[in-house]
Amino acid sequence: MADFGGAMFPLVKTLTVYTQNQREIPEMVARAFQYGTYSRVLEFINFSERVSNSVQRALTIRQTVRLELFRRVGNSTSVASVVGKENAGGKNGSSEVDEYLRIVDLSGLNFEGSSDNRDKTVAIEFTKDRKVLNGISNSGVFPSEKPEWIKQYTLIPKILKQIVVGGIDDELQTLLSELEKHQTDIAKVIVSGVQLIFEQTKNEEMDDSKIDTVCSILIENANNVEKFGPNWKKVGEMIRLSTETLELFIVTSIILRKLQSYLPPQTKKQKKTATITQSAESSKNAAKVITFKERVVESRTKMVGVMKLWQDLVAGEEVFGDCVDEFKSDAWSLVKEAKMMEKVTKNLKEDWSVSLKNLSSGFSAKEV
């Protein structure tokens, strides 16, 4: 779910399996040669390659990078608003997210996971139609392979890092061309946003249709989250969509901060040091950038209200109405007892409350 702080520990712990593999396999190969068991050498090497190229390792590394963006937003306390102010560090539009992207090592994204070593037969089944609880509450297949997701999140962090460090060049264009093949909301937002940045750097007028694309995706996602009713089966899906929507706002804010850097200088000190050429080029699209920001803030304000509504719903009892009926059915033979049913609903309520609190903090953060 959206427990960004709690999710980081198991992710990092999972990665220790792969670091142990890299450390121990050479020693095992050496021992095989030492004791003359040469037939085991190839087995150890093949095992090491399967682990190093595993789907789960690829997913975990990308989720770790992605999760840190959420964590940085939630931890922000004194950052600048998206457009038009300076923070305590004096950097126009700087943020904890930007600083993380400057220093993060993305070399671990250079493989896409060609070996699926997960044992899908051991998932616990609760229902007569053989669906695991995770699949019911999140409306999906568990565990999923996500090959396209892995490819997409190989590109996204690299593009965001290029934006932040100032790499508006051919390499960024190549990454963008690859991302454009993915017809997801986040891909469309990033592609449209980076194209706006390219137009700014070339001193061209920004395309209004690209701004419309980004803003329409943000408001559409906000509207979709708002449509969910108080149904316990839908809470997991609502939190998933809200998390994806928060991610859209994070990447949009990174793009807006970059566009902001081309605006005319705002303070007297900035104006004094700016050249005439800089001012002329920057002022061309200033009104569009400011309008863009206002539309983003409008969508974000809507999401803050929706999160507050859901927090109140989960704090109450009505969201669990049909949850109890579901547990009482014959399909849920493992959770018939009243005490077990009470424990399950209590745990769900606690988990959802933490997720909604984190999402609410994310949408309310100054840098989103």
Side-chain angles (χ1 to χ4, degrees), residues 3-209:
D3 183 3
F4 306 131
M8 184 58 81
F9 176 74
L11 281 175
V12 173
K13 189 174 182 180
T14 299
L15 290 174
T16 60
V17 174
Y18 305 105
T19 56
Q20 287 176 349
N21 169 68
Q22 293 172 344
R23 183 176 64 251
E24 294 173 1
I25 288 296
E27 182 181 348
M28 294 169 70
V29 171
R31 286 187 178 182
F33 277 112
Q34 180 181 353
Y35 294 108
T37 53
Y38 304 115
S39 61
R40 303 299 302 275
V41 172
L42 189 57
E43 291 180 20
F44 290 146
I45 292 174
N46 288 338
F47 174 77
S48 178
E49 289 179 350
R50 286 200 310 273
V51 173
S52 297
N53 293 304
S54 76
V55 170
Q56 190 59 46
R57 179 173 176 242
L59 289 170
T60 303
I61 290 174
R62 284 154 180 77
Q63 282 287 22
T64 302
V65 174
R66 180 175 179 241
L67 182 61
E68 189 61 24
L69 293 178
F70 290 112
R71 277 167 38 86
R72 295 282 173 143
V73 166
N75 291 338
S76 297
T77 54
S78 59
V79 295
S81 61
V82 176
V83 172
K85 294 183 180 180
E86 292 185 342
N87 65 10
K91 292 183 179 180
N92 197 356
S94 180
S95 73
E96 289 195 25
V97 170
D98 292 352
E99 294 308 312
Y100 167 67
L101 287 168
R102 290 181 194 280
I103 64 174
V104 64
D105 181 7
L106 300 179
S107 59
L109 305 183
N110 294 330
F111 76 103
E112 295 183 354
S114 57
S115 178
D116 193 349
N117 306 312
R118 299 172 297 179
D119 186 354
K120 301 179 183 180
T121 65
V122 298
I124 299 174
E125 298 171 349
F126 284 94
T127 65
K128 59 186 178 183
D129 58 354
R130 304 182 68 81
K131 288 184 178 180
V132 295
L133 182 60
N134 185 285
I136 295 172
S137 62
N138 290 290
S139 304
V141 177
F142 177 81
S144 56
E145 295 184 6
K146 296 187 175 181
E148 292 303 313
W149 189 95
I150 291 175
K151 292 178 181 177
Q152 181 174 257
Y153 280 89
T154 300
L155 299 167
I156 288 175
K158 293 180 179 180
I159 292 173
L160 296 180
K161 186 179 180 72
Q162 286 274 64
I163 293 172
V164 169
V165 301
I168 311 300
D169 51 21
D170 292 341
E171 182 180 354
L172 179 57
Q173 185 64 67
T174 301
L175 292 171
L176 204 66
S177 298
E178 287 297 313
L179 185 62
E180 201 167 6
K181 299 174 183 177
H182 299 265
Q183 293 300 305
T184 58
D185 283 348
I186 191 169
K188 292 175 183 177
V189 166
I190 293 175
V191 169
S192 296
V194 175
Q195 287 173 346
L196 290 171
I197 294 173
F198 278 130
E199 290 167 356
Q200 273 280 50
T201 58
K202 295 176 183 177
N203 197 27
E204 298 174 353
E205 184 176 359
M206 291 195 303
D207 186 349
D208 290 331
S209 67

Side-chain angles (χ1 to χ4, degrees), residues 230-341:
N231 182 334
W232 80 275
K233 287 186 180 181
K234 296 294 184 180
V235 177
E237 188 177 350
M238 182 276 297
I239 291 176
R240 177 193 58 77
L241 180 57
S242 298
T243 304
E244 292 174 355
T245 304
L246 176 57
E247 186 175 26
L248 293 175
F249 278 97
I250 292 172
V251 299
T252 300
S253 299
I254 292 170
I255 291 164
L256 272 168
R257 284 193 288 273
K258 189 64 178 181
L259 291 171
Q260 176 195 354
S261 67
Y262 299 107
L263 287 176
Q266 302 295 312
T267 65
K268 290 183 179 180
K269 183 177 180 181
Q270 289 174 331
K271 290 178 180 178
K272 195 172 182 180
T273 57
T275 65
I276 296 176
T277 303
Q278 287 174 329
S279 297
E281 291 176 352
S282 300
S283 61
K284 189 172 184 180
N285 291 312
K288 292 189 177 186
V289 173
I290 293 172
T291 302
F292 185 11
K293 182 252 181 173
E294 291 172 348
R295 293 175 66 182
V296 171
V297 170
E298 182 181 354
S299 299
R300 188 195 70 172
T301 302
K302 184 181 185 70
M303 283 302 304
V304 171
V306 172
M307 290 298 100
K308 177 63 169 64
L309 174 64
W310 269 100
Q311 282 181 293
D312 293 341
L313 280 173
V314 171
E317 299 297 330
E318 61 271 25
V319 74
F320 294 100
D322 63 342
C323 175
V324 175
D325 294 335
E326 184 85 39
F327 284 169
K328 285 182 178 178
S329 67
D330 291 337
W332 294 82
S333 57
L334 294 180
V335 287
K336 276 185 176 180
E337 296 296 328
K339 289 184 178 180
M340 178 64 76
M341 187 164 55

